[in-house]
Amino acid sequence: MRIQFAPLRIPLERRLQTLGVFQWIFSFLGLAQCCLVAFVLLLFTDYWLAAALYAGWLYLDRETPSSGGRRSAWVRSWAIWRYFSEYFPITLVKTAELDPKYNYLFGFHPHGILVAGAFGNFCTEATGFSRLFPGLTSYLLMLPFWFRVPFYREYIMCGGLVSSDKQSASHILSQPGGGQVAVLAVGGPPEALDARPGALTLSLLNRKGFIKMALKTGAQLVPVFSFGENELFHQVENPPGSALRVVQERLQKMMGLAMPLFHARGVFQYSFGLIPFRKPIYTVVGKPIPVEQNLSPSHSDIERLHKLYLDHLTCLFEEHKTQYGIAEDSHLVFI
């Protein structure tokens, strides 16, 4: 394989953008492991008491990730997130006004490999969420597993990341006075296994828990489609039924985590590595679907709202697809 090296003379701005993305990749793929190792090492040093006290804090603070987290406006406004967003770049597109007197459940699609669009738009202020949607506070739901990692949990909560368990979503969407937004990558880890350039397959047909949550809390549903999310990485071929896919699905069921084998470019060369490609991401926030609160929704209530949600998501995609580089004859596939 011929390696294509990056030019030596690259503007400082672009180097800072690459640094921002490198920091983000490390945060997702390596920081948790480093935090865990650091905690274990502290236990075997003269600072073991501090580690023991922190372990006690973890126990006392265990409900925080399911109770709105502990966001930091300062962390969300770090300059590095602006460079991160400009790397692709990521653009947040508003199509309708969202009244802050209501709570909202954003269904984010597609999941992609590392939900770059969801992070950039809803865990930072780099794309102007607070400016575009005044009066709203966004929270991105993440697998509960990550909030058990010492130190790491404190860092991710600063950006507005919270646990994706039912208690967490219910806490956000049941807040009186409105203005709360829970963002959920509905397809979850299984959908990440289908994420590759050109893919339009969404794991949605059997995903109805978020519909039930919207009904029980009365939160308005908002479909969100992130054009370009699947273009950031290549993935090793893993068609359904293949040996690799079987192993990945078993690991996903055991651990709750997707294990896509992905690759893109490097820091100093463009031929291989884990840095995403510079592909634009347009995250389009659709119109809200009014939901009447129903504390005991029936099967038919859930099915009806689920179908309405799929229709709204399809319309959102069809309305904007050609504007953001999708062929006219391409359509969403729900599985």
Side-chain angles (χ1 to χ4, degrees), residues 259-276:
M259 298 291 182
L261 299 180
F262 63 93
H263 56 94
R265 51 157 289 189
V267 175
F268 302 110
Q269 45 76 31
Y270 301 141
S271 301
F272 59 88
L274 297 179
I275 302 296

Side-chain angles (χ1 to χ4, degrees), residues 152-186:
Y152 184 70
R153 69 191 292 275
E154 320 299 341
Y155 173 65
I156 59 178
M157 280 196 290
C158 285
L161 283 154
V162 295
S163 175
S164 60
D165 58 40
K166 293 180 182 179
Q167 176 187 339
S168 177
S170 179
H171 174 86
I172 294 169
L173 299 175
S174 299
Q175 291 298 304
Q180 308 300 303
V181 178
V183 184
L184 175 65
V186 180

Side-chain angles (χ1 to χ4, degrees), residues 13 37 59 68-69 80 112 114 137 149 160 183 202 206 214 221 224 233 235 240 251 267 286 289 292 313:
E13 190 79 4
V37 170
Y59 177 77
I80 199 167
L114 294 176
T137 302
V149 181
V183 184
L202 303 181
N206 296 315
L221 277 169
V224 178
F233 299 96
Q235 185 172 174
L251 287 174
V267 175
I289 304 171
E292 185 176 346
L313 176 60

Side-chain angles (χ1 to χ4, degrees), residues 244-310:
L244 175 58
R245 187 60 168 259
V246 169
V247 171
Q248 289 174 321
E249 289 175 344
R250 287 181 179 175
L251 287 174
Q252 191 271 318
K253 289 179 180 178
M254 292 170 54
M255 305 172 59
L257 303 173
M259 298 291 182
L261 299 180
F262 63 93
H263 56 94
R265 51 157 289 189
V267 175
F268 302 110
Q269 45 76 31
Y270 301 141
S271 301
F272 59 88
L274 297 179
I275 302 296
F277 296 118
R278 282 184 182 265
K279 299 287 185 178
I281 299 172
Y282 298 94
T283 302
V284 184
V285 180
K287 298 179 177 63
I289 304 171
V291 177
E292 185 176 346
Q293 187 174 19
N294 183 348
L295 296 177
S296 301
S298 65
H299 176 73
S300 60
D301 293 330
I302 295 172
E303 290 295 325
R304 189 181 308 113
L305 184 56
H306 186 259
K307 182 180 184 307
L308 182 61
Y309 180 85
L310 294 184

Side-chain angles (χ1 to χ4, degrees), residues 216-229:
K216 295 184 75 170
T217 60
Q220 297 197 0
L221 277 169
V222 180
V224 178
F225 197 90
S226 195
F227 293 90
E229 195 74 37

